[in-house]
Amino acid sequence: MLYKSDSFEVAFIKDNIAEFKFCVAGSVNTLSQQTLKDCASALKELAANSDIKGMIFTSDKEHFIIGADIFEFLPTFTKPEAELVTWIKDATDVFDALEDLPFPTLSAINGLALGGGCEWVLATDYRVASTDAKIGLPEVKLGIMPGFGGTVRLPRIVGADNAMLWITSGAENRAADALKVGAVDAVVSTDKLIDSGISTLELAISGKLDWQAKRQVKLQPLKLNRVEQGMSFAMAEGMVMGKTKGHYPAPIMAVRTIKAAANCTRDEAMAIENANFAKLARTPEAAAQTGIFLADQYIKGKARKQAKTSDVVIKQAAVLGAGIMGGGIAYQSAYKGTPIIMKDIQQDALDLGMGEASKLLGQKVQRGHMAMDKMVATLGKIKPTLNDSDLQSADIIVEAVVENPKVKQAVLAGLEKDMPAGTILTSNTSTIRIDELATALEKPENFCGMHFFNPVPKMPLVEIIRGEKTSEQTINAVVDYALKLGKSPIVVNDCPGFFVNRVLFPYFAGFSKLVVEGADFAKVDKVMENVFGWPMGPAYLLDVVGIDTAYHCTGVMADGFPERMSRAEKDPVTIFANEKRFGQKNKAGFYQYAPDRRGRLKKAQDPQAVELLSAITDAPKEFDKQEIIDRCMIPMINEVLLCLQENIVASPQEADMALIYGIGFPPFRGGAFRYLDQTGLADFVATADKYAHLGAIYQVSEQTRKWAEEGRIFYKVEG
């Protein structure tokens, strides 16, 4: 043994080639501060060992290194900027020491090499990846940028354009794609990974491969002349600003860091990266996005604990009601490995559902992400049927029929009567109370809500709704199934609209009141998109949801919360619903829609929509951007606070992740509670009080006022 620590061990693997094997305690390898300190000591000692002629870096786990230990590093981000620069330089010195070893080095990459793990392999001379490996720098998703030399080494290895694409997207790149751009030197099957690495090192040691020349490229300025630099960086900055609208400082800082260091040596470039990383780490966006990471870990950890306590084994699922939604659920279940029966009363609906599943799988084949035989096998896990008897083998049934309580009650009662005892029933309702539906059942303990979001394959959230009589056994089993689907399940208690739709419709109500008072809905959309950061403004979102769906849901919410959410006398949604302008589904709502060259619906202004609204709106009026934001967001955040106070949602983490995953709450703001922490709850109450005369949705609860007086903080500083 040449060296041993709690995180790695070094020993000769063949002749004079040493193996540096990462073996961090736990299920994955991460780079903790202690690991980096140990690496610094080891590399210094190993560099002085004249018996070592080459070194291969390996992992004893399924993945190489998944990144830095973010839980440990987060408290450091609160330090003064000067201290942060010193801290990050100490870390990058370790990677420089790795790169400067006096013999050729190679990383044998299995599974994931992400963040700090990717930066580790970039510091070695050669990189051989297994066919299932993925490498990438996802730091921008945490509101930061690569800080262990990623902005320095990657551009010099794969070129500035490829590096900026990797870094600003934060994508995980498949081994084959990494090979195409030169991020890895070879891709081999997992069983040949170590042997291939050793063979490569032997060629380098014998002089048949010039490892020193390969290393030298990373120590020098980028090989771009001034004109090429100008074009490359200007295009990258323009693309990043176009996508982020200036809300996310990390990707643009990464581009500007690479630009500033383009004509520098490694050490000069590293100093620029150190300084800019320290600036980013202290931004509110970094706090928000790292907060999302922690909240995501929280909800996933909670869900895994619930799933582990389930004593129900779900071997066969079923979805009742085909079409687009049913087909999406069927696809997701089959794709993730749980066979599913898709039942409907009409063959056309089954054909539509199977067509949806086939289309989604076909897209994976076209992109090279799935082999044709796997597509066929996955489709084989979906059994379309018109026969009720085929449902007998299902352990769980997702009812996804029309959003009508009487229809759903009849369907659920029939299922309960015909299914074996213990079959779990769920309803994919978006607003109807679970307790109302449960009145039709003899065993409501076996029933809960399972609210999927459209499009099912893309939306990570599944809202699991606990009825008054739902058993914990049922909840745990449904959470387990949702996890098997690859979803992020969040359990909420029952009320009209549950959590996500309950807080969304006050937002729509605030928007509608603005329009009635003379606001231009297209300008409101632009403010909510470009200034606040929503992926789409309220008018556009209503068109995507469907005006008819929104009209129906508004009625449900009005019945459930008559004081705050009664249907307005003057209501744009009602006007359009009566005119059968249902939004994107029939290409006319607030906007008109037509397919672009790719077949995607593109919105455009529609004078007829403005004319129809004129019957209920005041004279056109300009509103200040902040007033538009306040009048849309206060009703939503008020309702979010009420949901926490009423125990509809159990924690700020679950509320924020439901908003981000369910309706696209701007990630750079971190969710409603993170947003409140950053703006101040007392300031929120004061602003809400300015608009209290507009109605109950603007009036804060006594509990909220008390929290504000107490200086309530929903997220303590991590660490």
Side-chain angles (χ1 to χ4, degrees), residues 511-512 514-522 539 542-543 547 570-577 579 581 589-591 605-620:
F511 158 72
S512 294
L514 271 173
V515 173
V516 170
E517 290 181 25
D520 180 337
F521 65 78
L542 280 162
D543 278 355
I547 299 295
K570 295 180 178 180
D571 179 27
V573 169
T574 301
I575 290 288
F576 289 152
E579 292 293 324
R581 293 176 65 93
F590 282 90
Y591 302 96
Q605 297 289 346
D606 188 348
Q608 188 179 351
V610 177
E611 184 179 343
L612 285 168
L613 289 175
S614 66
I616 62 167
T617 56
D618 298 340

Side-chain angles (χ1 to χ4, degrees), residues 129-151:
S130 63
T131 50
D132 63 347
K134 290 182 181 179
I135 69 173
L137 296 166
E139 286 86 350
V140 293
K141 295 178 181 179
L142 297 177
I144 54 177
M145 68 179 195
F148 294 156
T151 69

Side-chain angles (χ1 to χ4, degrees), residues 404-457:
N404 179 299
K406 291 183 179 178
V407 174
K408 285 182 179 289
Q409 284 177 327
V411 167
L412 289 165
L415 285 171
E416 184 184 51
K417 179 182 175 183
D418 295 336
M419 292 303 104
T423 302
I424 293 172
L425 300 181
T426 72
S427 177
N428 179 41
T429 175
S430 56
T431 55
I432 303 169
R433 289 197 64 170
I434 295 306
D435 288 338
E436 179 183 353
L437 297 178
T439 59
L441 300 174
E442 292 183 8
K443 293 184 177 180
E445 64 271 18
N446 295 337
F447 172 64
C448 70
M450 194 175 190
H451 178 205
F452 290 85
F453 291 76
N454 213 8
V456 174

